[in-house]
Amino acid sequence: MAKLINGKEISAKVKAEVYGETIKLKEQGITVGLAVIIVGNDAASRVYVNSKKKACEEVGFNSYEYALDENVTQQELLDLVDVLNNDDKVNGILVQLPLPNHIDENTIINSISPDKDVDAFHPFNVGKIMIGDFAFLPCTPSGVMELIDSTGVDISGKSAVVVGRSNIVGKPMSMLLLHKNATVTICHSRTINLAEICKTADIIVAAVGRANFITDSMVKEGAIVIDVGMNRLENGKLCGDVDFETVSKKAGYITPVPGGVGPMTIAMLMKNTLTAAKLGSNE
Ligand code: GUN
């Protein structure tokens, strides 16, 4: 039976560290601030934004929410980002994705000052990650790395398979694993022999967005299995990309959903915002 990797517990430790540093900054007269922009009425986005605001309270940050109407124009959104780029109270800016179809996500991401880009989505920060010289790491992949580190398993030279190639998770995830000297394979919807490739993995990171996609026949005995998926079933239950029931009997370590990667993403966002504040205060 696999050991459970407890994301709730590990994220609480990360947030406690951030809180400690936040107190020190407060003593120097610096209060950390995160601006969160949400556009429209997407229910999942609202849940995420609420969790991010709650985490800000826990670690002693100010949070500034901008809830914009579904019909806001791209220019109005760009104008708001510009104001926040120039607001000293705001150390980090997060535009919750997805945005409505009439707004071009890349244009908005590119308008965020790279120094305040706590999601690490701006091409400047993406490039820095590629060459291994970064201030911010994208929140979900860096949270996954913390979870893998918590197992104590040395991943250098091991075989890691990332299932999914999104800009938010799959691509940066592969880079972080590569920086730690894993031998990385990226699988996606067009991959031939996906099951066989997964079966060779010492570490599987599943980020496909399909409920229970990774089954025990695709997993090597003793592997570390990290589930980034967050799928809502018809009965309203949350479930990951990994078939927990069967895979947990075969893997060495596994993350649950919920309570695995989700809380880590938010904790790493707090860490990035703290980093932004520290870098900003050194200017
Ligand atoms: N939508 C889903 N995940 C994320 C994330 O990590 N950051 C932002 N800004 N939007 C998201």
Side-chain angles (χ1 to χ4, degrees), residues 45 48 52 94-98 119 121 139-140 168 265:
S45 289
Y48 289 134
K52 289 168 186 177
L94 181 142
V95 180
Q96 187 65 30
L97 304 178
D119 266 323
F121 290 169
C139 304
T140 300
I168 296 185
T265 297

mmCIF file of all heavy atoms in Angstrom, residues 45 48 52 94-98 119 121 139-140 168 265, ligand 1:
data_model
loop_
_atom_site.group_PDB
_atom_site.id
_atom_site.type_symbol
_atom_site.label_atom_id
_atom_site.label_comp_id
_atom_site.label_asym_id
_atom_site.label_seq_id
_atom_site.Cartn_x
_atom_site.Cartn_y
_atom_site.Cartn_z
ATOM 1 N N SER A 45 -13.343 29.233 -10.705
ATOM 2 C CA SER A 45 -12.428 30.365 -10.490
ATOM 3 C C SER A 45 -12.762 31.071 -9.184
ATOM 4 O O SER A 45 -11.873 31.485 -8.438
ATOM 5 C CB SER A 45 -12.531 31.375 -11.646
ATOM 6 O OG SER A 45 -11.962 30.843 -12.808
ATOM 7 N N TYR A 48 -11.289 29.113 -6.325
ATOM 8 C CA TYR A 48 -9.829 29.291 -6.249
ATOM 9 C C TYR A 48 -9.473 30.659 -5.671
ATOM 10 O O TYR A 48 -8.598 30.787 -4.817
ATOM 11 C CB TYR A 48 -9.188 29.162 -7.644
ATOM 12 C CG TYR A 48 -9.186 27.764 -8.218
ATOM 13 C CD1 TYR A 48 -9.575 27.522 -9.533
ATOM 14 C CD2 TYR A 48 -8.767 26.671 -7.460
ATOM 15 C CE1 TYR A 48 -9.565 26.243 -10.070
ATOM 16 C CE2 TYR A 48 -8.759 25.389 -7.992
ATOM 17 C CZ TYR A 48 -9.165 25.186 -9.293
ATOM 18 O OH TYR A 48 -9.148 23.920 -9.818
ATOM 19 N N LYS A 52 -7.337 31.690 -2.325
ATOM 20 C CA LYS A 52 -6.116 32.511 -2.372
ATOM 21 C C LYS A 52 -6.230 33.669 -1.385
ATOM 22 O O LYS A 52 -5.277 34.007 -0.681
ATOM 23 C CB LYS A 52 -5.871 33.003 -3.809
ATOM 24 C CG LYS A 52 -5.426 31.868 -4.728
ATOM 25 C CD LYS A 52 -5.440 32.200 -6.212
ATOM 26 C CE LYS A 52 -5.117 30.932 -7.025
ATOM 27 N NZ LYS A 52 -5.173 31.106 -8.478
ATOM 28 N N LEU A 94 -2.149 38.650 -9.820
ATOM 29 C CA LEU A 94 -2.593 37.375 -10.355
ATOM 30 C C LEU A 94 -3.907 37.598 -11.106
ATOM 31 O O LEU A 94 -4.852 38.137 -10.535
ATOM 32 C CB LEU A 94 -2.797 36.397 -9.202
ATOM 33 C CG LEU A 94 -3.241 34.994 -9.583
ATOM 34 C CD1 LEU A 94 -2.560 33.982 -8.702
ATOM 35 C CD2 LEU A 94 -4.744 34.835 -9.514
ATOM 36 N N VAL A 95 -3.928 37.261 -12.381
ATOM 37 C CA VAL A 95 -5.175 37.317 -13.152
ATOM 38 C C VAL A 95 -5.673 35.882 -13.264
ATOM 39 O O VAL A 95 -5.016 35.031 -13.891
ATOM 40 C CB VAL A 95 -4.951 37.925 -14.557
ATOM 41 C CG1 VAL A 95 -6.264 37.963 -15.327
ATOM 42 C CG2 VAL A 95 -4.341 39.324 -14.456
ATOM 43 N N GLN A 96 -6.796 35.599 -12.622
ATOM 44 C CA GLN A 96 -7.297 34.221 -12.607
ATOM 45 C C GLN A 96 -7.720 33.810 -14.020
ATOM 46 O O GLN A 96 -8.473 34.510 -14.692
ATOM 47 C CB GLN A 96 -8.479 34.110 -11.624
ATOM 48 C CG GLN A 96 -8.981 32.699 -11.399
ATOM 49 C CD GLN A 96 -7.965 31.779 -10.718
ATOM 50 O OE1 GLN A 96 -7.135 32.215 -9.932
ATOM 51 N NE2 GLN A 96 -8.022 30.502 -11.041
ATOM 52 N N LEU A 97 -7.243 32.657 -14.465
ATOM 53 C CA LEU A 97 -7.600 32.115 -15.775
ATOM 54 C C LEU A 97 -8.627 31.011 -15.583
ATOM 55 O O LEU A 97 -8.654 30.401 -14.508
ATOM 56 C CB LEU A 97 -6.351 31.552 -16.462
ATOM 57 C CG LEU A 97 -5.177 32.537 -16.622
ATOM 58 C CD1 LEU A 97 -3.990 31.832 -17.278
ATOM 59 C CD2 LEU A 97 -5.580 33.767 -17.437
ATOM 60 N N PRO A 98 -9.476 30.697 -16.530
ATOM 61 C CA PRO A 98 -9.530 31.278 -17.877
ATOM 62 C C PRO A 98 -10.231 32.630 -17.897
ATOM 63 O O PRO A 98 -11.025 32.932 -17.006
ATOM 64 C CB PRO A 98 -10.354 30.232 -18.654
ATOM 65 C CG PRO A 98 -11.240 29.598 -17.633
ATOM 66 C CD PRO A 98 -10.463 29.616 -16.335
ATOM 67 N N ASP A 119 2.504 34.241 -10.705
ATOM 68 C CA ASP A 119 2.162 32.965 -11.345
ATOM 69 C C ASP A 119 3.343 32.424 -12.163
ATOM 70 O O ASP A 119 3.329 31.265 -12.562
ATOM 71 C CB ASP A 119 0.994 33.163 -12.330
ATOM 72 C CG ASP A 119 -0.366 32.889 -11.718
ATOM 73 O OD1 ASP A 119 -0.465 31.959 -10.903
ATOM 74 O OD2 ASP A 119 -1.320 33.600 -12.082
ATOM 75 N N PHE A 121 3.936 33.255 -15.272
ATOM 76 C CA PHE A 121 3.386 32.949 -16.604
ATOM 77 C C PHE A 121 3.965 33.855 -17.689
ATOM 78 O O PHE A 121 3.810 33.587 -18.871
ATOM 79 C CB PHE A 121 1.860 33.123 -16.621
ATOM 80 C CG PHE A 121 1.085 32.090 -15.840
ATOM 81 C CD1 PHE A 121 -0.274 32.281 -15.589
ATOM 82 C CD2 PHE A 121 1.684 30.922 -15.387
ATOM 83 C CE1 PHE A 121 -1.019 31.336 -14.881
ATOM 84 C CE2 PHE A 121 0.954 29.974 -14.674
ATOM 85 C CZ PHE A 121 -0.402 30.182 -14.427
ATOM 86 N N CYS A 139 3.413 28.034 -9.649
ATOM 87 C CA CYS A 139 2.985 27.540 -8.332
ATOM 88 C C CYS A 139 2.708 26.035 -8.299
ATOM 89 O O CYS A 139 3.146 25.349 -7.362
ATOM 90 C CB CYS A 139 1.745 28.301 -7.888
ATOM 91 S SG CYS A 139 2.027 30.083 -7.862
ATOM 92 N N THR A 140 1.982 25.520 -9.277
ATOM 93 C CA THR A 140 1.644 24.089 -9.211
ATOM 94 C C THR A 140 2.890 23.213 -9.378
ATOM 95 O O THR A 140 3.153 22.351 -8.527
ATOM 96 C CB THR A 140 0.540 23.737 -10.225
ATOM 97 O OG1 THR A 140 -0.615 24.508 -9.897
ATOM 98 C CG2 THR A 140 0.197 22.261 -10.195
ATOM 99 N N ILE A 168 0.768 25.886 -18.066
ATOM 100 C CA ILE A 168 0.674 26.125 -16.621
ATOM 101 C C ILE A 168 1.324 24.995 -15.829
ATOM 102 O O ILE A 168 1.968 25.230 -14.822
ATOM 103 C CB ILE A 168 -0.814 26.299 -16.188
ATOM 104 C CG1 ILE A 168 -1.421 27.543 -16.831
ATOM 105 C CG2 ILE A 168 -0.945 26.363 -14.676
ATOM 106 C CD1 ILE A 168 -2.835 27.865 -16.363
ATOM 107 N N THR A 265 -0.348 24.442 -4.344
ATOM 108 C CA THR A 265 -0.349 25.513 -5.350
ATOM 109 C C THR A 265 -0.534 26.863 -4.659
ATOM 110 O O THR A 265 0.176 27.831 -4.939
ATOM 111 C CB THR A 265 -1.501 25.276 -6.361
ATOM 112 O OG1 THR A 265 -1.249 24.055 -7.047
ATOM 113 C CG2 THR A 265 -1.604 26.399 -7.369
HETATM 114 N N1 GUN B 1 -6.422 28.939 -13.375
HETATM 115 C C1 GUN B 1 -6.152 27.653 -13.042
HETATM 116 N N2 GUN B 1 -4.967 27.570 -12.402
HETATM 117 C C2 GUN B 1 -4.478 28.830 -12.335
HETATM 118 C C3 GUN B 1 -3.274 29.376 -11.781
HETATM 119 O O1 GUN B 1 -2.404 28.687 -11.243
HETATM 120 N N3 GUN B 1 -3.136 30.734 -11.911
HETATM 121 C C4 GUN B 1 -4.060 31.506 -12.526
HETATM 122 N N4 GUN B 1 -3.825 32.814 -12.616
HETATM 123 N N5 GUN B 1 -5.182 31.023 -13.049
HETATM 124 C C5 GUN B 1 -5.368 29.688 -12.952
#
